[in-house]
Amino acid sequence: KIFIPIYNEYIKFRSAGCKGRYWVSLLLCMVSIGLGVYSAGGILNDLSLAGTLAYLPESIIYCALAAVGLLVVVMIIGITVNFKMAKAFGLPTIFGLGLWLLPFIFYAIIAFNGNIGYANNEKEEVL
């Protein structure tokens, strides 16, 4: 499941107990990427014509700021999910920090350590 790009994020959010946040985060991420592409295209086009940032239309500047703001929101949701994931497996909060900073190592610890079990109170099997 970890090698399927969007499905692995769904499993991570579901394991952490974040049901609605996944879809909001995914939607915000797609919107911010779209705004970023639109504003980057406009910036590159206008810079080639005018040569300075002072001549950029306000709509492109607002789109770029909105894209950055949405990415910050997505990043904050992602950080909180790592801490909830550590809690869902009965691990200390510092382990959530490790999940955020070094995800490949700490998710491998969760996956391959037989002593770590899913401690969330849901009755369905998640992983």
Side-chain angles (χ1 to χ4, degrees):
K1 294 178 184 179
I2 197 166
F3 295 114
I4 304 170
I6 295 175
Y7 185 63
N8 68 355
E9 291 294 318
Y10 170 72
I11 293 297
K12 181 173 78 169
F13 276 75
R14 193 169 138 202
S15 298
C18 304
K19 295 183 184 350
R21 288 186 186 181
Y22 166 72
W23 298 109
V24 172
S25 174
L26 186 63
L27 179 68
L28 288 178
C29 187
M30 285 197 264
V31 168
S32 66
I33 288 172
L35 287 173
V37 168
Y38 170 75
S39 61
I43 289 171
L44 292 176
N45 187 27
D46 287 342
L47 283 180
S48 65
L49 297 175
T52 179
L53 287 173
Y55 293 105
L56 285 177
E58 288 183 15
S59 64
I60 293 176
I61 294 172
Y62 292 144
C63 284
L65 290 175
V68 170
L70 289 174
L71 284 177
V72 168
V73 170
V74 169
M75 186 178 76
I76 291 171
I77 290 173
I79 291 170
T80 58
V81 166
N82 288 319
F83 288 104
K84 286 186 175 197
M85 179 72 91
K87 183 179 177 184
F89 281 92
L91 298 168
T93 306
I94 194 75
F95 199 87
L97 184 64
L99 286 171
W100 176 53
L101 294 175
L102 300 168
F104 295 111
I105 295 171
F106 284 86
Y107 279 112
I109 291 171
I110 290 175
F112 298 116
N113 190 346
N115 296 330
I116 297 175
Y118 189 64
N120 204 347
N121 291 332
E122 293 183 16
K123 295 187 179 196
E124 65 180 287
E125 183 181 333
V126 176
L127 296 175

